[in-house]
Amino acid sequence: MTASSLTDWLLDSDPALRWQVERDLVHAPEHVWAATRDRVTTEGFGARLLAHQDPDGQWAGGAYFPSDFSEDLFEQEGQPWTATTWSLNALREWGVPPSALGDTAQRLAANSRWEYDSLPYWDGEVDACINGYTLANGAWLGVDVTGIAAWFVEHQLPEGGWNCEWVEGSTRTSFHSTLNSLSGILAWENTTGGTDAVRAARHAGEEYLLQRDLYRRLSTGEPVGKWVSQFRYPVRWSYTVLRAADYFRAACLADGRDPDPRMTRAIEMVREAEQPDGTWLQAGRHPGRMWFEVDVPAGEPSKWLTFYARRVLDWWDTATR
C-alpha cells in the first residue's frame, strides 16, 4: 500500500481504533479525534461491551473469571477474557470516558470480590498483573487506589521488577509481570501525579527491561522467549517487544525524556516484522472466551498491530533523528 492508502485502511475501522489513528498518526485537530472518540460509547466495540455489563456492575459475574468458570473449563478452553477486569481493561484502552460507566466503581466496591480469598475489588489482589490492571482501572474511574500503588513498592523484587508468582516463592523477575505492573503504575501516575516512591519503583522496573534490551536474558544474551516477537492483539497479559516499546514511548513522553538507546534492537525487531505492504500480521489471539472478536485471524494484516507499530516507529524515528 502507499502511505495514503495505508492511512485510509487504518481509518476505516471501529471508532475505538479510528480515534487513536486520527490523534497519533494523522495528527488531526483535537475536535476531530475527540468527536470520533465520543462515538466509542454508542457504536461498535465499546457500545457492545458496555451492553454486556451486569446490573451489579460486573461483567460475566466475576472479578477476573466468569462466575460459571471452573478449573476443568480452564483446562479445556484456556483463560477466559469476559470477566470484569478484562472488560474494564478493554473499555479504558479503547477510550471510553469514565462518565459512560456511571456508578460502576461504586457497584464493584459493593458487589465484586476477587476469586483469591474473596478480597474486595478495589483493594487489589496478590497477583502483580491483576494489581497493575486494577491500579490503572481504578485511576481511570476515579477510585482511590493508592494502597495498590504502594503495594508495588513493597513487593518489588531485588532485580527491580515483579513476578505474579512471588506468592509461590519466586524471587525472579518476570518480563510479563513487570510490563503489566509498569503499565498500571504509569497510568496511575498520569492520572494522579503519583508519588516519588512509586515513581522510583517504576524507573527501577524500566531499568530491569532496558538492561536486557527489552528482549534478552542477561545471563546468555539469548531472547527470553519466542513470544517477544509474536505480536498479538488483543495483547492480554503477554509481553512482546512491540508492547514494551509502546510502553516506553508513553513513559518517555510522560517523563519528558529521550528514548533509551538500549531499545535499538527491539525497535529493529518491530521494523523487521513490517510486511511489504506496510502492515503487521496477527500472530494469533490467545485462546479463551471472548464477548466478540476485535481483530483478524492469525496470519492476516492487523489494523491494531499496524497502528501500534507505526506509532512506535514514528516516535522513535522522530526522537532519534
Side-chain angles (χ1 to χ4, degrees):
M1 300 186 201
T2 64
S4 176
S5 60
L6 182 66
T7 299
D8 290 342
W9 176 71
L10 289 170
L11 288 170
D12 183 20
S13 56
D14 189 274
L17 174 57
R18 180 183 173 112
W19 77 266
Q20 298 184 74
V21 174
E22 291 173 336
R23 185 190 65 179
D24 297 336
L25 297 187
V26 177
H27 305 296
E30 182 173 353
H31 73 271
V32 172
W33 60 258
T36 305
R37 185 175 183 172
D38 287 343
R39 292 165 46 202
V40 179
T41 61
T42 57
E43 300 176 29
F45 299 156
R48 291 178 68 184
L49 188 49
L50 285 168
H52 284 290
Q53 188 176 18
D54 301 330
D56 68 358
Q58 300 188 102
W59 277 260
Y64 198 73
F65 294 96
S67 58
D68 64 347
F69 212 70
S70 65
E71 289 188 16
D72 287 343
L73 284 174
F74 191 97
E75 292 297 323
Q76 296 170 27
E77 301 179 10
Q79 165 77 54
W81 314 108
T82 53
T84 301
T85 297
W86 297 108
S87 297
L88 290 177
N89 287 352
L91 292 169
R92 172 174 51 82
E93 291 165 5
W94 292 341
V96 171
S99 59
L101 285 96
D103 64 348
T104 290
Q106 291 74 28
R107 283 184 284 162
L108 293 179
N111 302 313
S112 190
R113 295 292 183 273
W114 295 108
E115 290 79 9
Y116 182 92
D117 281 358
S118 194
L119 296 170
Y121 191 81
W122 293 119
D123 286 357
E125 217 234 40
V126 299
D127 184 291
C129 294
I130 290 175
N131 283 347
Y133 307 144
T134 310
L135 185 61
N137 290 333
W140 168 53
L141 293 179
V143 180
D144 182 357
V145 284
T146 52
I148 301 178
W151 182 95
F152 283 100
V153 178
E154 297 161 2
H155 292 82
Q156 193 162 30
L157 296 173
E159 291 179 310
W162 293 268
N163 192 324
C164 294
E165 296 180 359
W166 73 270
V167 74
E168 278 85 41
S170 178
T171 58
R172 298 190 63 183
T173 292
S174 158
F175 274 59
H176 303 291
S177 301
T178 296
L179 183 57
N180 289 321
S181 299
L182 290 173
S183 297
I185 292 169
L186 182 63
W188 177 76
E189 284 184 20
N190 285 343
T191 301
T192 67
T195 67
D196 289 343
V198 176
R199 190 171 298 105
R202 172 168 67 84
H203 289 158
E206 292 173 354
E207 184 62 20
Y208 172 86
L209 297 177
L210 288 167
Q211 285 176 348
R212 292 153 178 83
D213 301 334
L214 306 193
Y215 78 96
R216 65 180 181 86
R217 298 183 186 278
L218 200 59
S219 57
T220 66
E222 294 299 312
V224 68
K226 292 181 179 180
W227 36 264
V228 296
S229 58
Q230 293 175 341
F231 305 155
R232 306 173 189 276
Y233 189 85
V235 297
R236 306 307 186 192
W237 51 264
S238 61
Y239 183 101
T240 66
V241 291
L242 172 56
R243 188 176 170 217
D246 196 55
Y247 163 80
F248 275 97
R249 168 192 171 274
C252 288
L253 292 174
D255 292 343
R257 68 182 198 257
D258 293 330
D260 194 294
R262 290 172 290 181
M263 294 176 56
T264 301
R265 177 57 191 143
I267 293 294
E268 290 174 355
M269 293 167 71
V270 173
R271 205 184 303 275
E272 288 165 2
E274 183 178 4
Q275 302 301 297
D277 64 357
T279 65
W280 276 257
L281 303 182
Q282 170 73 269
R285 72 169 177 83
H286 296 282
R289 293 186 192 179
M290 297 176 66
W291 287 115
F292 45 84
E293 296 286 352
V294 296
D295 204 7
V296 295
E300 294 188 12
S302 163
K303 291 182 180 180
W304 284 100
L305 294 173
T306 299
F307 162 69
Y308 286 120
R310 191 73 269 152
R311 180 168 74 172
V312 160
L313 294 179
D314 285 355
W315 162 73
W316 177 268
D317 291 344
T318 299
T320 58
R321 250 177 222 158

